[in-house]
Amino acid sequence: MEEPADAARQRWRLLVAYDGAAFRGFAIQPALPTVAGALQEALGRTARMPAPPVVTCAGRTDAGVHARGQVVHVDLPPIPFDGVGLARALNRQLAPAVVILEAEAVDGTFDARHSATGRTYRYLVWNAPAPDPLLAPLSWHVRDPLDLRAMTTATDVVLGTHDFRAFCRRKPGSDPSEPITRRVTRATWSVDRGPEAIDAGAGRLLRFEIEASSFCHQMVRSLVGSLVEVGRGAGNAATLLERLRSATRHRAADPAPARGLCLIAVEYP
């Protein structure tokens, strides 16, 4: 865990939304556009720092993954802004690709990553014969009819604490025999009946939401890929349970595309 903020600096908590299509993920990558890179540059200019400050996020999203509820903390020297003013100054530089929804000064012991008790992701599937150009940037188009009841039943398999090696991309160099244990507290499918889905015409916008204490790499996208296969009739709750217990990605369904995934909330005590 990071050390508490330096006494000469103020720790700020930022609630951030972004369009993941514009970036190669959240984490800094040399010579590539990233959310952290854009944020750090804007923060450095706003606070008139000689070098950009380091930002820490609640969840490092992959390339193409969106966020409406990402939480970030950063330590800044004294600035002539309150939270509203800081958010406005940053949004003038970053919007619309990145938007600061809220900014507030917090205690130096707050840590966006380690203080979090839960994270919620949403995945959208446009289930229709034809794609929709306005939904395409935010959803996965699946033309085959999907059995939502079968998908919902299979989803119950992942609730609770499990070894998710079968649905996680392991870090290079890590021990493949080591369990990747995560606790899923909520996982649901529903039909999104928002105006964009209604205007799109024939088809259903399926919404998958999952909440867990934390997630491993590609976990949500891998689960969605497998659950969509169940919806297509290639498996059921029993086969998903068998795959979960196998603790291997061998013969697993491909992960769902990144564009349908969005970090929508981070929970704190």
Side-chain angles (χ1 to χ4, degrees), residues 29-55:
Q29 297 187 59
L32 293 175
T34 65
V35 179
L39 270 175
Q40 290 180 179
E41 291 292 333
L43 284 161
R45 288 190 294 267
T46 300
R48 300 190 176 185
M49 301 174 71
V54 175
V55 299

Side-chain angles (χ1 to χ4, degrees), residues 134-239:
L134 299 186
L135 292 174
L138 301 173
S139 64
W140 176 22
H141 173 229
V142 176
R143 62 173 53 86
D144 302 320
L146 296 177
D147 184 340
L148 186 57
R149 179 174 296 180
M151 293 161 66
T152 297
T153 300
T155 296
D156 290 343
V157 166
V158 307
L159 291 173
T161 302
H162 304 282
D163 176 2
F164 279 96
R165 274 181 289 175
F167 298 98
C168 293
R169 183 177 179 180
R170 186 174 288 280
K171 294 179 181 179
S174 60
D175 183 356
S177 66
E178 182 179 348
I180 304 177
T181 304
R182 297 293 186 270
R183 181 172 61 90
V184 174
T185 55
R186 183 172 65 89
T188 62
W189 284 95
S190 62
V191 178
D192 191 317
R193 304 187 188 280
E196 201 63 55
I198 294 173
D199 292 344
R204 298 181 300 173
L205 184 61
L206 305 182
R207 180 187 183 103
F208 177 67
E209 284 195 16
I210 183 168
E211 179 180 349
S213 51
S214 63
F215 292 87
C216 47
H217 192 202
Q218 291 190 353
M219 177 173 161
V220 180
R221 291 168 54 203
S222 295
L223 285 170
V224 171
S226 293
L227 289 165
V228 164
E229 286 301 292
V230 169
R232 285 172 164 147
N236 52 34
T239 57

Side-chain angles (χ1 to χ4, degrees), residues 243-259:
R243 184 170 300 157
L244 179 65
R245 289 174 172 171
S246 74
T248 175
R249 289 172 67 90
H250 180 61
R251 298 180 66 181
D254 290 335
R259 63 182 176 273

Side-chain angles (χ1 to χ4, degrees), residues 1-7 11 75 107-110:
M1 182 178 294
E2 292 188 358
E3 293 295 324
D6 188 288
R11 180 156 293 187
D75 298 332
D107 186 87
T109 59
F110 172 79

